[in-house]
Every structure is written in structure tokens, then in C-alpha cells.
Amino acid sequence: MNAVEVKNNIFWVGVKDWNLVEFHGYSTPHGSTYNSYLIMDDKITLVDGVKEYMSSEQIARIKSKIDFSKLHYIVVNHVEMDHSGNIPELMKLAPQAKIITNTAGKMALEAHFDTAGWQYEIVKTGDSVSLGHKTLEFMTTPMLHWPDSMMTYVKEDKVLLSNDGFGQHYACDTIFVKDVPMALVMQEAKNYFANILFPYCSQAEKALATAGDLGLDIEMIAPSHGCIWSGKEEVSAILNNYALWASGKNAGKAVIVYDSMWGATAKLAETVMSVFQDAGIPVVKHCLAVKNVSEIMVDFLDAKYVCIGNPTLNNQLFPRVAGFLAYMQGLAPKNKKAFAFGSYGWKAGVVKKIQNVYEELGWETVEPFEEKYTPKSDILEKLEARVKEFI
Ligand code: FEO
């Protein structure tokens, strides 16, 4: 695939990671892309690098447009390795290039790489740099989702180079949202928000507000993962959904997450689900034996109710349940009503560990429910009554 012009002398020179199946624990069945953009102007500028192992592909794409000796700036919007892993190689090819980043970005580059001799232009929100005919404006978005995270706006073309923001782990044979089913891309954007940005909802709301304060008139959002949102309709759709996801408002649904060894906890989960169904509340059920944690988290954006079930193993949480709790707690969804349930053989009480996580997250909870060995009909009736009360 050649470099692709996305708008007025702004070229996509990124790479597609078709074989990526997981991204630090996040399942990525559609692969991913590490998008990078080459802005052709008096001062030629590259925005973002790629993962180190895909460096040669990006370099070939850049070389199809310019000689590296002509590169004036490299904008580092974010130092996580999927965007800066090959920055040292790029700097070897273009030692004259000046890196544009923010203070936290410079610190992070110096903490990761041997940066001796690198030149910097340090920017902050509201700063701009002229490339000749085009102007870059910068908006730092700290903790969305690293301290160094930043977005770059090309003023004359109304293009926001948003790095992780508005991205999707989605590799396909195009680079534009308009060329693929919108619902599919939006679902991947939602998965991305749930698994990467969920803990930083307030920072996302702040970034949206800052973009408004800066008067950014956005006609294209070109993230560093997945497809590019072009045109007011697509841009509004993703901005509106980000505002919704960051707001913590949910769709009133229920999500049940559980695991099971001999079927007891599965029976409890089935009973919990039937009560929600009978109450007319949309409910989804995920068994951790067959689902990756990241496939489940997206449902937390829509959920008002969370019910987690555990089969006791050696007087502990079942390992997959414990792993899910750790992953979920890190992502820290807010404003949930939560119920814990589980089964045990000879010693009760482990389900309280789930309850503790709920309490640490500040969720509204009720007394957990535990059952010894296989639940009979009278126990399932008790559970039904408890869940009705919980709802
Ligand atoms: Fe796509 Fe935070 O890196």
C-alpha cells in the first residue's frame, strides 16, 4: 500500500498490523494500525512513529514521498511504544529533525531512549507552529491516557491528528471510515474507549471542552489507530459518542460475568439472567472460560447493573474471576449497582472479595449470595427473590 493523501498534502504513512491478536491484554480480533501522517509544506513534518517491529514499512512509505534529509519536524503526540517505538530509528535517518512534543513527552522520550543530541520544540495547549502554508495547533490531553498525550490540529485543513483519541484497533483494506460499515468501526471505537480510556472519562470530557474553547472547527479526525473520520457527519457521530461514553450515563442494561467449574455458578448465573429478562431489562451474560476480559468491558458502558459470579477454588477466587476483577478495577467504571454471587464446597466467604472490589469502586451494592455445591430449586427461588429485590 502506498502513502495515501488524506487531505491537501497530508499523507497517511502508517502501517497495518494485520496479525495483532492482543494489545497488552486487550483482544484485537481485527488487528490494528499505527497511523502516522506526513505533512508536505515548506517545513515537512511527520506526525507520530510506529511500533519498532514495523519501522521498515513506515520508512519505505515515507521514502516514497521524501528524502529523510528534508524532514524538518517530527511531532510526538504520545510516547507509548506503539507510536514512538521507532522514533530512535527515524531520528538516525533524520538527525536534523526537531521533535515537537510537550514537557511530559520530552521526559518520557528521555526515560525510554538514548536521546543525546535530539533537538526539541516544546509546546503546550494553545501553542502553534507554522510550517509555511499550514499551521499546527496543539492541545495537550494529559492522562488521556498517558501524562504526555497530545493532539495536533492542522488549522487550514481542519484536520485533528488525535493519536489514541477516537481510535479503533481495526485493520482493513482502506483508511477511511466511509469505506467500511460505520457500525463496525463505531463498535471498535467503543471497545477502544472501554478498554483504554474508561478510567479517564473526566479527562475526555475536559479535552472535548478544550477543543470547544480553542474553537477547533474539525472536518476530519485522523487517529493513530484504525480508520479516519471524515466529514461533519462522521466527526459529529464520534464526538457525540465520546461525550456520551465519558459522561458515565448508561443505557440501563445488566451485565453478568461469571466462571464455573462443575456448573453450579453457571446455574446461578442463568437464574440471575432470567430475573432481568422477566423484568424487561436488557441483559448479557459472559462466561470467562470463553471470553477475553476486553470483550466484556464494552458492555460496562451500557450497564446500570453488574453481577459477578465466582466458583470457589482452594478457598480463593477462581483465577479467571480474579483476573477479570483486577482488569475491571483498573478501568474503574462508575455509577453501577452491583451484586456478587457464587458457589463453594466446604467453606463459604470468598464471594466477599468481589464485594470488596465493588465497595472500593464506590458502587451501590447488596449482600452477596453464596450456595453450597449444586443449587436445588429452593435455592434458585431464593436467588430469584434476592435479584428481584436488588433490581
Ligand atoms: Fe496507542 Fe497509548 O498508545
Side-chain angles (χ1 to χ4, degrees):
M1 189 171 181
N2 295 324
V4 180
E5 186 171 25
V6 299
K7 203 168 185 189
N8 308 332
N9 282 321
I10 301 174
F11 290 83
W12 176 87
V13 289
V15 298
K16 292 177 187 275
D17 198 349
W18 297 95
N19 294 341
L20 188 81
V21 292
E22 77 95 32
F23 191 99
H24 54 50
Y26 173 170
S27 171
T28 55
H30 298 117
S32 192
T33 75
Y34 316 115
N35 299 334
S36 166
Y37 301 95
L38 187 67
I39 304 173
M40 303 298 284
D41 204 336
D42 296 345
K43 294 177 178 172
I44 297 171
T45 299
L46 179 71
V47 179
D48 292 331
V50 302
K51 273 188 180 172
E52 189 180 15
Y53 64 71
M54 301 203 77
S55 187
S56 60
E57 194 177 326
Q58 187 205 25
I59 287 168
R61 217 155 261 138
I62 295 166
K63 280 184 174 170
S64 75
K65 300 304 299 178
I66 60 157
D67 187 287
F68 267 86
S69 64
K70 307 280 186 225
L71 193 59
H72 195 93
Y73 288 124
I74 299 177
V75 176
V76 175
N77 276 322
H78 177 31
V79 181
E80 192 165 7
M81 292 295 101
D82 47 334
H83 309 294
S84 77
N86 76 330
I87 293 290
E89 193 173 356
L90 296 174
M91 288 303 290
K92 275 191 187 134
L93 290 166
Q96 78 289 345
K98 195 183 256 193
I99 288 181
I100 299 180
T101 190
N102 55 74
T103 306
K106 180 171 183 275
M107 284 169 61
L109 285 169
E110 288 171 349
H112 280 88
F113 305 120
D114 175 2
T115 59
W118 293 11
Q119 307 171 73
Y120 293 92
E121 183 141 345
I122 300 299
V123 295
K124 59 185 185 311
T125 293
D127 286 352
S128 61
V129 170
S130 173
L131 305 185
H133 300 88
K134 299 179 190 292
T135 312
L136 302 184
E137 295 184 347
F138 303 95
M139 182 171 82
T140 59
T141 54
M143 295 318 297
L144 192 66
H145 67 126
W146 272 28
D148 53 82
S149 296
M150 179 174 92
M151 297 186 187
T152 299
Y153 178 67
V154 188
K155 187 178 173 186
E156 291 74 12
D157 302 306
K158 303 182 178 180
V159 175
L160 182 67
L161 305 169
S162 58
N163 195 264
D164 279 340
F166 314 110
Q168 328 97 45
H169 283 316
Y170 183 61
C172 60
D173 61 355
T174 177
I175 59 167
F176 295 105
V177 173
K178 66 182 170 58
D179 296 329
V180 285
M182 170 79 141
L184 186 61
V185 184
M186 193 60 84
Q187 184 62 35
E188 287 299 337
K190 190 174 181 181
N191 288 343
Y192 192 92
F193 189 97
N195 284 284
I196 303 285
L197 304 181
F198 220 150
Y200 310 112
C201 287
S202 60
Q203 288 87 345
E205 287 191 304
K206 194 172 169 208
L208 292 171
T210 305
D213 293 345
L214 292 171
L216 303 189
D217 179 15
I218 303 168
E219 286 184 355
M220 177 180 278
I221 297 178
S224 289
H225 295 294
C227 295
I228 294 171
W229 310 90
S230 47
K232 287 283 185 186
E233 199 175 317
E234 287 179 8
V235 167
S236 293
I238 186 64
L239 286 176
N240 289 342
N241 273 336
Y242 257 59
L244 174 66
W245 300 332
S247 72
K249 289 179 193 145
N250 61 64
K253 296 183 179 179
V255 56
I256 300 165
V257 183
Y258 74 100
D259 212 320
S260 198
M261 287 188 289
W262 297 106
T265 311
K267 271 191 185 168
L268 300 178
E270 193 69 28
T271 300
V272 172
M273 184 172 74
S274 70
V275 179
F276 281 105
Q277 287 171 329
D278 291 349
I281 296 169
V283 54
V284 289
K285 181 163 68 78
H286 296 290
C287 178
L288 289 161
V290 296
K291 292 279 178 72
N292 179 278
V293 291
S294 60
E295 291 175 80
I296 298 169
M297 283 313 300
V298 69
D299 285 327
F300 279 63
L301 284 171
D302 297 325
K304 174 180 180 182
Y305 303 98
V306 173
C307 306
I308 299 177
N310 176 72
T312 302
L313 178 64
N314 297 326
N315 203 27
Q316 295 296 326
L317 289 170
F318 196 66
R320 283 192 291 256
V321 175
F324 176 75
L325 286 169
Y327 189 77
M328 180 197 74
Q329 191 169 11
L331 292 169
K334 296 198 171 44
N335 306 326
K336 305 299 176 199
K337 287 185 72 168
F339 175 62
F341 61 95
S343 58
Y344 64 94
W346 47 95
K347 190 170 178 194
V350 167
V351 79
K352 288 196 182 119
K353 294 187 182 196
I354 302 176
Q355 188 77 2
N356 292 343
V357 172
Y358 293 162
E359 287 167 8
E360 283 171 28
L361 286 166
W363 294 355
E364 193 181 332
T365 64
V366 293
E367 193 63 22
F369 186 95
E370 270 188 303
E371 158 56 11
K372 186 177 171 79
Y373 289 125
T374 300
K376 308 289 191 310
S377 58
D378 59 324
I379 295 295
L380 295 177
E381 281 166 19
K382 270 189 200 166
L383 176 59
E384 279 178 14
R386 287 286 302 281
V387 178
K388 277 181 192 165
E389 198 182 322
F390 164 64
I391 292 171

